[in-house]
Structures are given as C-alpha cells and as structure tokens.
Amino acid sequence: MYKINEIAPDVYRISIFIPDIQLQFNHFLIKDDEPLLYHAGLKQLFPILHEAVKTLMDPKLLRWIGFSHFEVDECGALNEWLQVAPHAQAVCSEIGAIVNMSDFALRPAYAMKTNEMLQTGKHKYRFIQTPHLPHGWDAGVMFEETNKTLLCSDLFHQNGDVAALTDKDILEPHKAAILFYEAGPLMDYAPYTHKTRKMLDQLAALNPQTLATMHGSSFYGDCAKALTDLDQVMKDVWGEKLATESKLDIVG
Ligand SMILES: [Fe+2]
Ligand SMILES: [Fe+2]
C-alpha cells in the first residue's frame, strides 16, 4: 500500500514500502498549473503509484516527469506515465536526454543545464547537474525555489519504514544504511570523488528548507548543514575505502 503526506506546501510524498527489502520508494507530486511528478518509479509499482496519484489529481494532467538519473526506481515507469498523460514530458539533465532518453523515452525529454529554471505556475525549479552524485553520469537534482524543497534523489538514503518527515538527524541512519549495504551485494552505492565536496557545497548554498529523499524520511531543519556534513559521511564510507584500496595496490 501507499502512504501520502504533504511534506511542504503542494508537495505530496507518495511512499511505497517494500518489506522484503526494508525500503521505501518515495515519489513526489508537486501540484501546480503544470503538475510535476519527481520519480516515475519502478515499472512494477506503476499500478499502485497511479492509484495513489489519482487520489490527488487526474493523472492525465501531469505535465512533467522528473528524475535524477537513469535507474529503474527513478524512471523505470516513465513510458507508462507518458502513455497515461498525453502532455507529459520527461525533464532531466542534458546528459540524460542525450545519452538515455533519446532512445528510452517515447517522446523527447526536456533537457536542462545547471542553473536553468523551469516554471510550472507558482512553482519554479532550478536544475543542478551533479554527475556521479549520488551515482550516474547523467545525475542531477531539482530545487523547487518557491518553498525551497530540494528533490535530492538517493542522497541521505535510509532503510526501514520510517516517518514521512523528520527534523531529527538523518545522517546516522543514512550512514547505517550504506554501511549495511557495504557488507553485501549492494556495496559501492555512490562514488566519492574530488568533486563530491564541491557539489554538496553547491547544494548547501541553495539553503533548502526541506530535503525530499527517495528512500527514507524527508528532512526539514538545517538542510545546508546536513548537506555539508554528508560529505564527511560519504568520505568515511567510500573515500577512505578508496585510499585503503590504493594502498593495497601499491603493496601488492
Ligand atoms: Fe539511484
Ligand atoms: Fe533510488
């Protein structure tokens, strides 16, 4: 089943929890003249997500389907949405539009560059390209400037059927989740690169009021600090690992 919570004005978080993998898949519907759904979701979840959207608006009227990067939980059901909503269009990074959407999407995607704006009525979105953050060449985020909601995809991933919205620390549960993944087949969730800090600082400078996360609780409070502190968590888990592996290479 799904759960719907309005986490910021007009921003509806539609959460589907999969108990077998202890993971929430969160989708964000932002109502406006031109409604935007962020995360098309998994193909298999399309029927349930479609039902959920129907309780909020007529899905045929969706105008934009946004996502961060090419991965099934981000955009697997994109074409299902493009079929039910005749005026809908994918919106993603230029890289995503060139490399993936040109072949994958039923209709051409709307490609955005860093700091380009998309106005949907009373809401407007700033696009920031974030290659390989959280992962994927084509990755990017959208910042809804009217109520300062950062649609931040897999950043701050937390496991479990947690609260829709919290002002408590999400970095500890995030670190616990990625360390849990490190011990199994889902290791190396995100790379830590020489650009990670710079990109997180760029997102922090937007000074968001809410972080809309794909997996786990959305966060409100000092989002700039959470984004700045995320660098250390990522560095601890993946940066140090890289350093250790390099040392091993030298020794070997
Ligand atoms: Fe992802
Ligand atoms: Fe994800």
Side-chain angles (χ1 to χ4, degrees):
M1 251 336 255
Y2 57 80
K3 283 184 197 158
I4 300 179
N5 293 85
E6 191 175 3
I7 59 157
D10 301 321
V11 181
Y12 295 86
R13 176 187 185 268
I14 305 171
S15 184
I16 301 172
F17 179 64
I18 310 291
D20 288 354
I21 53 171
Q22 284 295 303
L23 190 60
Q24 290 176 339
F25 291 91
N26 303 317
H27 317 79
F28 299 91
L29 176 69
I30 297 110
K31 284 191 182 175
D32 207 344
D33 299 341
E34 297 184 3
L36 181 144
L37 177 67
Y38 200 73
H39 303 148
L42 296 160
K43 250 190 195 183
Q44 287 188 44
L45 294 185
F46 176 74
I48 183 168
L49 187 57
H50 185 241
E51 282 306 306
V53 170
K54 257 198 226 173
T55 68
L56 296 168
M57 61 167 285
D58 181 350
K60 288 190 193 77
L61 302 177
L62 278 171
R63 177 65 182 86
W64 300 104
I65 312 289
F67 55 91
S68 165
H69 49 276
F70 192 63
E71 196 173 14
V72 286
D73 56 353
E74 297 272 348
C75 62
L78 171 67
N79 287 330
E80 279 74 1
W81 288 111
L82 296 182
Q83 280 168 317
V84 299
H87 302 293
Q89 190 175 8
V91 52
C92 62
S93 69
E94 273 190 309
I95 296 169
I98 295 166
V99 175
N100 299 312
M101 291 303 117
S102 56
D103 185 63
F104 180 76
L106 290 176
R107 295 193 285 278
Y110 183 69
M112 294 187 79
K113 291 184 175 61
T114 289
N115 285 324
E116 271 188 357
M117 303 298 297
L118 176 70
Q119 186 92 37
T120 60
K122 64 179 173 176
H123 295 280
K124 60 177 180 191
Y125 301 79
R126 181 179 296 275
F127 188 85
I128 312 282
Q129 217 160 302
T130 59
H132 308 290
L133 180 72
H135 40 233
W137 183 18
D138 56 326
V141 297
M142 290 180 90
F143 180 55
E144 197 292 297
E145 290 201 333
T146 315
N147 49 35
K148 296 172 133 312
T149 301
L150 183 67
L151 299 158
C152 62
S153 175
D154 295 322
L155 297 179
F156 303 101
H157 173 128
Q158 309 135 59
N159 290 335
D161 199 11
V162 292
L165 183 64
T166 186
D167 63 348
K168 309 263 184 317
D169 172 60
I170 56 169
L171 280 167
E172 271 309 312
H174 170 57
K175 190 169 183 179
I178 57 179
L179 283 174
F180 176 72
Y181 282 174
E182 280 299 299
L186 299 178
M187 65 170 81
D188 296 323
Y189 188 101
Y192 186 82
T193 76
H194 63 288
K195 292 183 181 169
T196 305
R197 168 97 222 188
K198 199 176 145 211
M199 287 190 284
L200 289 171
D201 285 348
Q202 190 183 4
L203 300 183
L206 298 169
N207 205 17
Q209 273 177 17
T210 309
L211 300 169
T213 60
M214 180 189 245
H215 310 284
S217 300
S218 290
F219 175 77
Y220 70 99
D222 194 342
C223 298
K225 183 175 183 328
L227 283 157
T228 308
D229 291 350
L230 178 59
D231 176 72
Q232 193 58 51
V233 172
M234 293 184 68
K235 196 173 179 180
D236 286 349
V237 177
W238 297 302
E240 295 307 317
K241 184 176 167 176
L242 182 70
T244 310
E245 280 172 1
S246 306
K247 271 182 223 149
L248 287 174
D249 285 348
I250 295 163
V251 172

